[in-house]
Amino acid sequence: MKVGYLGPKNSFTHQAAKSCFPENQLTSYQTIAACIHSVYQEEITYGVIPIENSLEGSVNDSIDRLFHLGDLVVLGEIVLPIKQQLLVANQTTRIEKILSHPQALAQSQQFLYEHYPTVPIEAVSSTTYAAEFIAQHPDLGLAAIASKKAATEYGLNILSADIQDNLFNQTRFWIISRKNQLLPLALGHLKKATLFITLANNQAGSLHKILECFAKRAIDLSKIESRPLKTSLGEYFFVLDLLYDDNEALILEAIEAVETIGGSVNYLGLYPLKTVLEEEL
Amino acid sequence: MKVGYLGPKNSFTHQAAKSCFPENQLTSYQTIAACIHSVYQEEITYGVIPIENSLEGSVNDSIDRLFHLGDLVVLGEIVLPIKQQLLVANQTTRIEKILSHPQALAQSQQFLYEHYPTVPIEAVSSTTYAAEFIAQHPDLGLAAIASKKAATEYGLNILSADIQDNLFNQTRFWIISRKNQLLPLALGHLKKATLFITLANNQAGSLHKILECFAKRAIDLSKIESRPLKTSLGEYFFVLDLLYDDNEALILEAIEAVETIGGSVNYLGLYPLKTVLEEEL
């Protein structure tokens, strides 16, 4: 069995994947697109991809590709605490430049604004790359924003700890698959369901009627979001996350009701959640 | 009167700003944050910032800053057609690398995948920078994705025209201000209103009740979107765009109804739209 993840090694997605699968089954992919396509082609059984961060919002590339490819299901969700560290090589005292991935930079923008307002920032392809690069160039006055794992891996010092703009920063990851199959592991007892809904006339106004199908059946939404259909401005599909409360029959009934009023529904599945604690990383 | 825009010169935001204000009133800002803060501090009267692209969706940085700063209003919306060109310097026949801004790369991903699947891509800070760089280094086998304006400005050849993934690619820009004042220009007759809504218990489930306040009064939504409150996973604020149909009294009534059921509303204003045609650019 092969499990793909958005790499490189020691990325947060790698940590999420390791919390569920043994290391020797894991394959790193350079992009979300490559990982999703490999699952779609059934070259690998499962893929682990980031879906949403509590500071930065949805990972649009993941959501849009799952919608446009279709035929993929969600088997589980992993919620990981995300803590960013400001790392330097031993010798560094004065910081000339700070390197990191755009998401990590965005998650730490308040800290950077307060403590390093004039230091140039450089966006690089991953937090792991940033850590590796500054370890290899200890004399250039560089700092990296990356995880504790990266600090250990590359022998870097933590100059400021937990610099992300909110202490409860978390990211949701999905375990996706081409087929609706059982996961060879137990996640948690809590479950969620996710639907992609496209409206016949693409009017956000009709959304009220769609939500009524769920409200009538006392189905709670934990999230709703619109994403462009990539046709023209103002045309969207909707992503709905439903809280599961032993009510799959009601969920299926609500989906039928949505279809009756002209909505088309892609049901990504009913899946268990696993919340990883910081101590487990 | 000073008008700020997200630069550099010849960026699409610059073109949007020029369609409404004389060039000698325009000031370029390097980031969306810098432009919005300058409007907030009243160092400039108006700011022109990108809000949403039909392929890539909302510009989260703009939306989130307007929400978290508060006290800013929208005075007008400019809709611009966005066409991307593959540009090369005269001498270039074989392309070794393609440079552009991440948004332009994302808007052209299907073209790149079909025609240049193995050519390395480099993300740079703006499409203008990409065009300028390849003009300055004509011998390196570089291509840039940028606008026709940039081709003219830097004397580059258009190798492939209109390569964006959809012919009707458009971007919405807002003219923002600290005070609700009149614009010194006429836009169009169509109007829209935008609201930011936060729910008391932050449950997307209550959204149905909110939408009911508008549906009841036959107010049509052209868009709805959730953005994270940056507190913890699952807590959102909502962005609602309403179509205006000579019904401001009803809109204000709906806002009151939303507040009655515990929603808090930031009304960004009722503003006219201007759609710029390609010939006008």
Side-chain angles (χ1 to χ4, degrees), chain A residues 6-22:
Chain A
L6 174 67
K9 227 184 134 208
N10 291 314
S11 67
F12 287 112
T13 316
H14 185 209
Q15 294 181 31
K18 276 199 298 186
S19 78
C20 289
F21 300 98

Side-chain angles (χ1 to χ4, degrees), chain A:
Chain A
M1 192 184 68
K2 268 175 142 184
V3 182
Y5 68 92
L6 174 67
K9 227 184 134 208
N10 291 314
S11 67
F12 287 112
T13 316
H14 185 209
Q15 294 181 31
K18 276 199 298 186
S19 78
C20 289
F21 300 98
E23 178 78 55
N24 63 11
Q25 294 182 344
L26 300 180
T27 306
S28 167
Y29 284 83
Q30 273 193 41
T31 62
I32 289 172
C35 183
I36 294 182
H37 278 272
S38 197
V39 174
Y40 187 80
Q41 305 287 355
E42 300 186 69
E43 293 158 8
I44 54 179
T45 316
Y46 307 112
V48 180
I49 54 171
I51 288 300
E52 185 187 15
N53 172 264
S54 51
L55 290 172
E56 284 307 298
S58 281
V59 181
N60 295 335
D61 197 21
S62 296
I63 300 284
D64 288 358
R65 280 178 200 282
L66 291 176
F67 174 78
H68 288 285
L69 270 178
D71 287 335
L72 292 164
V73 292
V74 180
L75 300 180
E77 176 167 314
I78 310 160
V79 179
L80 207 73
I82 305 289
K83 311 251 167 164
Q84 305 289 1
Q85 321 297 326
L86 186 70
L87 306 178
V88 290
N90 272 334
Q91 296 86 337
T92 305
T93 50
R94 227 184 93 183
I95 298 179
E96 307 282 347
K97 200 196 262 187
I98 300 173
L99 279 62
S100 195
H101 185 267
Q103 273 269 355
L105 291 169
Q107 288 167 15
S108 314
Q109 54 185 296
Q110 197 56 37
F111 172 87
L112 293 173
Y113 179 75
E114 279 168 24
H115 298 275
Y116 300 95
T118 60
V119 174
I121 304 291
E122 190 175 322
V124 296
S125 59
S126 70
T127 55
T128 307
Y129 174 84
E132 189 181 3
F133 189 86
I134 72 160
Q136 287 169 349
H137 302 85
D139 306 325
L140 299 183
L142 300 173
I145 296 177
S147 67
K148 273 188 195 153
K149 275 261 184 280
T152 315
E153 177 94 2
Y154 297 105
L156 297 167
N157 292 336
I158 298 179
L159 193 64
S160 301
D162 298 349
I163 63 167
Q164 74 286 344
D165 292 344
N166 186 298
L167 278 179
F168 303 102
N169 191 24
Q170 293 180 311
T171 295
R172 297 166 57 203
F173 300 86
W174 274 353
I175 304 170
I176 58 166
S177 172
R178 179 72 194 254
K179 292 183 198 123
N180 201 346
Q181 52 198 335
L182 280 179
L183 269 184
L185 65 143
L187 296 175
H189 291 296
L190 272 179
K191 282 185 181 180
K192 274 168 57 186
T194 295
L195 312 174
F196 291 154
I197 298 184
T198 317
L199 305 181
N201 56 358
N202 294 317
Q203 268 291 357
S206 327
L207 184 62
H208 173 248
K209 284 185 209 146
I210 300 289
L211 294 187
E212 206 166 36
C213 300
F214 298 96
K216 254 188 190 169
R217 292 168 180 85
I219 299 169
D220 264 335
L221 275 66
S222 70
K223 182 178 182 186
I224 178 166
E225 178 167 50
S226 55
R227 285 292 306 154
L229 276 175
K230 299 188 192 269
T231 46
S232 66
L233 264 183
E235 304 206 328
Y236 305 96
F237 69 95
F238 296 92
V239 185
L240 269 68
D241 286 359
L242 313 176
L243 294 174
Y244 173 75
D245 186 22
D246 239 343
N247 57 350
E248 194 174 15
L250 282 176
I251 290 176
L252 296 173
E253 204 185 285
I255 291 174
E256 257 181 52
V258 170
E259 287 169 340
T260 307
I261 57 173
S264 97
V265 183
N266 178 357
Y267 182 25
L268 278 85
L270 181 65
Y271 50 87
L273 310 185
K274 171 182 181 153
T275 300
V276 179
L277 301 176
E278 209 191 341
E279 307 80 88
E280 298 173 56
L281 292 179

Side-chain angles (χ1 to χ4, degrees), chain B residues 115-161:
Chain B
H115 298 275
Y116 300 96
T118 60
V119 174
I121 304 289
E122 191 175 322
V124 295
S125 60
S126 71
T127 55
T128 307
Y129 174 84
E132 190 181 1
F133 189 86
I134 72 160
Q136 288 169 348
H137 302 86
D139 305 325
L140 298 182
L142 301 173
I145 296 177
S147 67
K148 274 188 194 153
K149 275 264 184 278
T152 315
E153 176 95 3
Y154 299 104
L156 297 167
N157 292 336
I158 298 178
L159 194 66
S160 302

Side-chain angles (χ1 to χ4, degrees), chain B residues 189-193 217-220 242-251 270:
Chain B
H189 292 295
L190 272 179
K191 284 186 180 179
K192 274 169 57 186
R217 293 168 179 85
I219 300 169
D220 261 338
L242 312 177
L243 293 174
Y244 173 74
D245 186 20
D246 240 343
N247 57 351
E248 195 174 15
L250 282 177
I251 290 176
L270 181 65

Side-chain angles (χ1 to χ4, degrees), chain B residues 83-145:
Chain B
K83 310 251 166 163
Q84 305 288 2
Q85 322 296 326
L86 186 69
L87 307 178
V88 291
N90 273 334
Q91 297 85 335
T92 306
T93 50
R94 226 185 95 182
I95 297 178
E96 308 281 347
K97 199 197 263 188
I98 300 173
L99 277 63
S100 195
H101 184 266
Q103 272 269 357
L105 291 168
Q107 289 168 15
S108 313
Q109 55 185 295
Q110 197 58 36
F111 172 87
L112 292 173
Y113 179 76
E114 278 168 24
H115 298 275
Y116 300 96
T118 60
V119 174
I121 304 289
E122 191 175 322
V124 295
S125 60
S126 71
T127 55
T128 307
Y129 174 84
E132 190 181 1
F133 189 86
I134 72 160
Q136 288 169 348
H137 302 86
D139 305 325
L140 298 182
L142 301 173
I145 296 177

Side-chain angles (χ1 to χ4, degrees), chain B residues 9-31:
Chain B
K9 227 183 133 207
N10 291 314
S11 67
F12 286 110
T13 314
H14 186 210
Q15 295 182 31
K18 275 200 297 187
S19 79
C20 289
F21 300 98
E23 180 79 55
N24 63 10
Q25 294 181 344
L26 301 181
T27 307
S28 165
Y29 284 83
Q30 273 193 42
T31 62

